[in-house]
């Protein structure tokens, strides 16, 4: 009989990353925030699309390219509708694409505020080990040790000791797994020997 409690944690960042840009209004680098609005410009049979950002200090705007000189006929009608309506889900995918944003900005600011939505994938009373699968609808700039410390009530130094002792295992396997940013599909196995610690951590892992 399995003794593993299977959980899924869905990590939702509370704020998208903000680009640091040279602001023409302020005369220096400033953080910009998304307006959540798409701007379209038609030039003959070709279309430009931008996500509009605003300086957090003076409201100067920056047009973040979504695409440029794209043939209208080549666009999927669903995509075109999303652009025309500034569909929230579509805009959110752009906002949270930190890798794409880095190519356009001096640097970016990533929020470490997040929400964790927990789901038990099995109903198991006699569990002894815990397996947590991470699901990330959007990239989150959060290190694994920070996430686990906040959600399991363990210090980072305690997490590191448990990791080195093999009582915490992470996949993909890396020597510095706890110090790396979380990714969709990361799994954490907790096989804690101390019963009191196991019960406490299990309760926190389930949201108790």
């Amino acid at each position: 009989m399995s003794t593993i409690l299977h959980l899924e944690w869905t990590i939702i960042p509370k704020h998208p990353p903000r680009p640091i840009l040279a602001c023409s209004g302020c005369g220096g680098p400033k953080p910009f925030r998304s307006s959540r609005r798409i701007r379209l410009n038609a030039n003959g049979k070709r279309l430009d699309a931008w996500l509009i950002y605003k300086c957090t200090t003076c409201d100067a705007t920056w047009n973040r390219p979504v695409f440029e000189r794209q043939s209208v006929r080549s666009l999927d009608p669903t995509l075109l509708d999303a652009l025309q309506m500034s569909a929230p889900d579509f805009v959110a995918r752009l906002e949270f694409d930190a890798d794409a944003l880095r190519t356009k900005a001096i640097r970016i600011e990533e929020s470490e505020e997040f929400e964790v939505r927990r789901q038990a994938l099995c109903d198991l009373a006699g569990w002894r080990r815990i397996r947590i699968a991470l699901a990330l609808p959007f990239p989150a700039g959060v290190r694994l040790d920070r996430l686990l410390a906040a959600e399991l009530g363990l210090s980072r130094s305690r997490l590191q000791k448990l990791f080195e002792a093999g009582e915490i295992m992470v996949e993909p396997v890396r020597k510095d797994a706890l110090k790396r940013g979380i990714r969709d599909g990361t799994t954490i196995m907790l096989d804690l020997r101390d019963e009191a610690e196991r019960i406490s951590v299990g309760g926190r892992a389930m949201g108790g």
Side-chain angles (χ1 to χ4, degrees):
M1 185 179 84
S2 175
T3 59
I4 301 174
L5 175 62
H6 292 269
L7 303 174
E8 182 179 76
W9 285 2
T10 301
I11 314 300
I12 310 293
K14 291 187 176 181
H15 307 288
R18 301 192 304 181
I20 307 300
L21 303 164
C23 177
S24 59
C26 296
K30 292 289 181 178
F32 279 62
R33 67 183 183 277
S34 168
S35 70
R36 301 182 179 176
R37 303 299 300 173
I38 299 288
R39 178 180 295 168
L40 297 174
N41 179 59
N43 185 355
K45 296 181 179 180
R46 297 193 176 276
L47 194 67
D48 299 321
W50 304 277
L51 175 60
I52 309 305
Y53 282 72
K54 291 186 176 182
C55 174
T56 57
T57 300
C58 73
D59 272 352
T61 60
W62 171 58
N63 295 343
R64 176 185 173 182
V66 178
F67 57 72
E68 296 177 298
R69 299 294 185 266
Q70 185 74 40
S71 169
V72 176
R73 290 184 179 181
S74 69
L75 294 175
D76 186 293
T78 302
L79 172 59
L80 190 56
D81 286 344
L83 291 165
Q84 291 171 335
M85 296 185 297
S86 295
D89 287 348
F90 176 78
V91 170
R93 287 197 296 273
L94 293 174
E95 291 174 332
F96 282 97
D97 189 347
D99 289 339
L101 195 56
R102 284 190 183 92
T103 67
K104 305 294 183 182
I106 298 171
R107 65 180 188 278
I108 65 172
E109 291 179 347
E110 292 188 87
S111 171
E112 291 193 348
E113 296 183 54
F114 53 88
E115 175 188 353
V116 179
R117 299 175 185 172
R118 297 168 172 82
Q119 180 182 5
L121 302 181
C122 66
D123 184 10
L124 183 64
W127 61 268
R128 294 190 60 81
R129 293 178 290 167
I130 307 167
R131 182 181 184 274
I132 302 170
L134 301 184
L136 279 71
F138 307 110
V142 182
R143 280 179 27 159
L144 181 56
D145 58 357
R146 182 182 181 277
L147 172 69
L148 295 179
E151 300 304 316
L152 300 180
L154 298 172
S155 68
R156 293 189 190 185
S157 60
R158 179 59 179 161
L159 287 167
Q160 186 63 39
K161 287 180 181 178
L162 292 170
F163 181 73
E164 291 171 356
E167 295 182 58
I168 293 179
M169 292 156 281
V170 181
E171 292 183 359
V173 177
R174 295 180 183 271
K175 291 182 179 179
D176 61 346
L178 291 179
K179 298 179 181 180
R180 299 181 69 88
I182 60 175
R183 296 288 184 269
D184 185 52
T186 297
T187 61
I188 305 100
M189 178 71 79
L190 299 119
D191 186 9
L192 307 180
R193 300 186 183 97
D194 183 273
E195 184 176 4
E197 186 172 52
R198 183 169 67 247
I199 292 172
S200 173
V201 166
R204 293 287 296 262
M206 290 184 282

